[in-house]
């Protein structure tokens, strides 16, 4: 868990300040100002409970920790309107910009992804792994974008602002519009992460 | 943001104009009474977000000393955080918002414009701007932005433009027209008609 959180924080420090290693004062400012970090902390805690404690003898401790998680998650949903399912498998280095209306349901999200405000990834708790969304590494999901259930998105793809994805997107593609069409087949999204 | 450009008198005048705009757009075109003012202050939390933003903008414009700025900003910091969370909205601290501004709707607005002209109305769940330094749009006078729309990148929007709901706009737009669609296109040109007379939605 700590490894993933460290990667997330590195992502935030890199995007919010010019240097990779800002001063302690600036680090506190970045963590306080970005509400997305708090939501990621709570998600990582919830996923940690599920993945580490499998022993039936420790069921009581698990239930207590889950109670704490649900309370924290309640505050995240009511205050920031960021809903991340704790069963979703999210790689290290997630970056959530702004807040409000973000929904990450049960899905498989790669490493170093970016999720903007009001983006939605659909899914449910009852489907098997093959039926869920598979999203690769370094994917940039724009504001107000909607990704329907069971869509496969390749590495390094870019989902533009307001796009509604109903079909699979291959790697390094730029998809925009409603319904989404692929405009550029070799698009570099590293400039979008300011 | 230019230093010393935003005086205390302008702050008060702008807030008075905002109050009138809220009354006109959300309560009705009748004569505004004292109770209407109280109603706006307690009914619409987005108005308080504007108050704190304008206060912070004035502090940045008026005081050049770093420590006085910090002291003045302590008043606004906590209130701004609380109303940001209540309304789920964020406003870029360097955004120069003109008078008669109005947030129609519950909020959910991410507002990162460089400059907004007089008499603009923004509905709920709108995103304006891409980042905080380079790709910031500029809005003209009497622009209306419908719900769930996105204005993205360093573009320029003319006077009297009407952006309909669920539009995604990434290109500059001339004066007096209606825009709709994803990606957004010009649907109708209004010519020199008064934008105030055109009914919205």
């Amino acid at each position: 868990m700590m490894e993933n959180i460290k990667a997330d924080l590195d992502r935030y420090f890199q995007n919010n300040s010019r240097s990779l290693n800002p001063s302690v004062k600036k680090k506190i400012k970045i963590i306080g100002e970005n509400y997305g970090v708090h939501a990621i902390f709570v998600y990582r805690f919830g996923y940690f409970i599920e993945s580490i404690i499998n022993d039936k003898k420790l069921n009581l401790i698990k239930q207590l920790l889950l109670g704490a998680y649900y309370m924290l998650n309640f505050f995240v949903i009511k205050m920031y309107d960021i809903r991340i399912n704790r069963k979703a498998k999210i790689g290290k280095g997630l970056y959530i910009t702004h807040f409000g209306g973000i929904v990450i349901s049960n899905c498989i999200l790669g490493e170093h992804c970016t999720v903007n405000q009001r983006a939605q990834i659909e899914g449910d708790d009852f489907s098997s792994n093959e039926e869920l969304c598979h999203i690769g590494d370094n994917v940039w999901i724009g504001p107000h974008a909607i990704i329907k259930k069971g869509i496969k998105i390749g590495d390094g793809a870019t989902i533009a602002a307001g796009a509604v994805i109903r079909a699979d997107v291959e790697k390094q593609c730029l998809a925009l519009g409603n319904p989404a069409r692929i405009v550029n087949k070799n698009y570099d999204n590293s400039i979008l992460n300011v | 943001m230019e230093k010393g450009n935003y005086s205390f008198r302008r702050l008060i005048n702008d807030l008075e104009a905002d109050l009138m705009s809220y009354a006109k757009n959300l309560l009705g075109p009748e004569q505004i009474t004292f109770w209407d003012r109280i109603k706006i202050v307690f009914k619409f939390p987005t108005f308080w977000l504007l108050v704190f933003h304008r206060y912070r903008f004035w502090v940045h414009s008026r005081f050049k000393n770093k420590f006085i700025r910090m002291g003045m900003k302590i008043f606004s910091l906590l209130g701004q955080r609380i109303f940001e969370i209540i309304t789920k909205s964020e406003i870029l601290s360097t955004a120069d918002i003109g008078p008669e501004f109005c947030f129609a709707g519950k909020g959910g607005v991410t507002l990162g414009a460089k400059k907004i002209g007089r008499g603009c109305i923004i509905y709920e769940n709108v995103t304006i701007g891409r980042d905080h330094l380079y790709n910031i749009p500029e809005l003209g006078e009497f622009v209306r932005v419908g719900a769930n729309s996105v204005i993205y990148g360093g573009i320029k929007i003319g006077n009297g433009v009407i952006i309909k709901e669920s539009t995604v706009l990434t290109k500059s737009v001339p004066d007096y027209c209606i825009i709709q669609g994803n990606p957004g296109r010009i649907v109708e040109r209004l010519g020199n008609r008064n934008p105030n007379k055109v009914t919205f939605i």
Side-chain angles (χ1 to χ4, degrees):
Chain A
M1 181 175 80
M2 294 326 266
E3 205 177 90
N4 288 341
I5 284 178
K6 201 167 174 295
D8 297 332
L9 283 175
D10 280 348
R11 201 74 206 293
Y12 272 88
F13 296 151
Q14 198 179 342
N15 287 356
N16 284 291
S17 66
R18 298 280 163 79
S19 62
L20 264 168
N21 232 345
S23 61
V24 177
K25 197 181 155 192
K26 188 132 196 185
K27 278 182 181 174
I28 292 168
K29 202 186 167 197
I30 288 168
I31 293 172
E33 274 184 352
N34 288 289
Y35 301 127
V37 184
H38 311 165
I40 291 173
F41 286 164
V42 173
Y43 158 75
R44 298 275 184 218
F45 176 57
Y47 188 76
F48 170 75
I49 298 166
E50 194 70 21
S51 59
I52 294 297
I53 305 171
N54 287 322
D55 199 351
K56 278 203 171 178
K57 287 172 189 168
L58 298 171
N59 201 21
L60 183 69
I61 295 167
K62 188 179 173 182
Q63 293 303 324
L64 284 172
L65 286 172
L66 273 178
Y69 162 76
Y70 282 128
M71 221 141 89
L72 289 169
N73 199 28
F74 176 80
F75 282 111
V76 166
I77 288 172
K78 285 292 159 197
M79 284 164 75
Y80 309 143
D81 205 358
I82 299 173
R83 291 147 205 267
I84 308 179
N85 194 331
R86 79 189 155 90
K87 284 168 186 163
K89 292 166 192 68
I90 300 176
K92 63 185 180 185
L94 177 67
Y95 181 56
I96 293 177
T97 62
H98 302 290
F99 66 110
I102 294 167
V103 180
I104 301 176
S105 323
N106 197 2
C107 67
I108 295 160
L109 199 64
E111 293 175 4
H112 299 283
C113 287
T114 306
V115 178
N116 278 266
Q117 70 272 20
R118 304 216 154 263
Q120 295 182 14
I121 301 170
E122 295 184 353
D124 56 49
D125 288 355
F126 319 110
S127 308
S128 62
N129 271 353
E130 285 79 46
E131 289 172 325
L132 297 171
C133 280
H134 285 254
I135 298 169
D137 302 342
N138 296 315
V139 175
W140 190 90
I141 299 166
H144 299 234
I146 297 169
I147 296 171
K148 295 282 178 193
K149 194 187 141 194
I151 299 295
K152 311 264 183 295
I153 293 174
D155 296 350
T158 309
I159 314 299
V164 180
I165 307 290
R166 291 165 188 276
D168 291 1
V169 177
E170 285 170 20
K171 63 178 184 179
Q172 304 284 346
C173 286
L174 167 66
L176 62 83
N178 177 16
R181 59 200 161 82
I182 285 150
V183 177
N184 193 339
K185 288 203 169 174
N186 193 12
Y187 187 81
D188 183 19
N189 66 6
S190 61
I191 48 158
L192 292 169
N193 295 322
V194 176
Chain B
M1 174 177 17
E2 289 168 35
K3 297 278 178 293
N5 206 16
Y6 200 78
S7 63
F8 188 71
R9 173 150 295 191
R10 216 188 121 191
L11 167 74
I12 299 295
N13 287 346
D14 279 5
L15 286 175
E16 178 69 25
D18 289 338
L19 207 74
M20 289 300 183
S21 178
Y22 266 77
K24 199 180 87 186
N25 292 315
L26 303 176
L27 296 182
E30 295 95 24
Q31 183 93 36
I32 175 170
T33 61
F34 175 72
W35 292 110
D36 283 346
R37 284 162 193 267
I38 302 235
K39 211 173 171 182
I40 289 162
V41 167
F42 284 101
K43 205 176 173 185
F44 303 111
T46 48
F47 181 74
W48 280 99
L49 201 75
L50 259 179
V51 171
F52 285 115
H53 170 76
R54 287 198 193 282
Y55 176 80
R56 188 172 59 169
F57 194 80
W58 170 69
V59 168
H60 257 274
S61 174
R62 172 71 179 76
F63 301 104
K64 279 166 191 169
N65 191 318
K66 201 177 164 189
F67 293 101
I68 296 175
R69 262 189 197 177
M70 273 166 71
M72 297 290 280
K73 266 201 273 182
I74 284 169
F75 294 112
S76 71
L77 202 68
L78 186 67
Q80 202 186 2
R81 284 276 181 276
I82 289 167
F83 283 99
E84 264 185 8
I85 284 167
I86 289 174
T87 61
K88 269 89 177 166
S89 311
E90 276 180 306
I91 304 178
L92 183 67
S93 59
T94 54
D96 187 0
I97 298 176
E100 295 178 42
F101 189 79
C102 177
F103 282 119
K106 279 181 186 173
V109 180
T110 310
L111 208 165
K114 190 195 278 174
K115 199 182 175 188
I116 294 179
R118 192 166 127 248
C120 288
I121 304 169
I122 288 179
Y123 285 71
E124 65 259 34
N125 302 350
V126 171
T127 295
I128 296 175
R130 213 194 84 182
D131 53 40
H132 55 281
L133 284 175
Y134 310 109
N135 296 298
I136 328 176
E138 205 170 307
L139 272 68
E141 294 179 348
F142 300 105
V143 176
R144 294 174 215 188
V145 185
N148 296 319
S149 49
V150 185
I151 297 172
Y152 215 55
I155 61 175
K156 212 167 184 179
I157 293 168
N159 300 335
V161 173
I162 292 173
I163 294 163
K164 290 232 176 189
E165 57 270 32
S166 309
T167 306
V168 177
L169 185 62
T170 51
K171 280 171 189 162
S172 293
V173 164
D175 292 357
Y176 304 114
C177 51
I178 298 177
I179 291 150
Q180 197 173 20
N182 176 7
R185 290 180 196 86
I186 296 170
V187 178
E188 193 185 336
R189 288 178 193 272
L190 300 171
N192 287 326
R193 252 192 293 166
N194 186 358
N196 264 339
K197 296 274 169 65
V198 178
T199 48
F200 189 49
I201 299 170

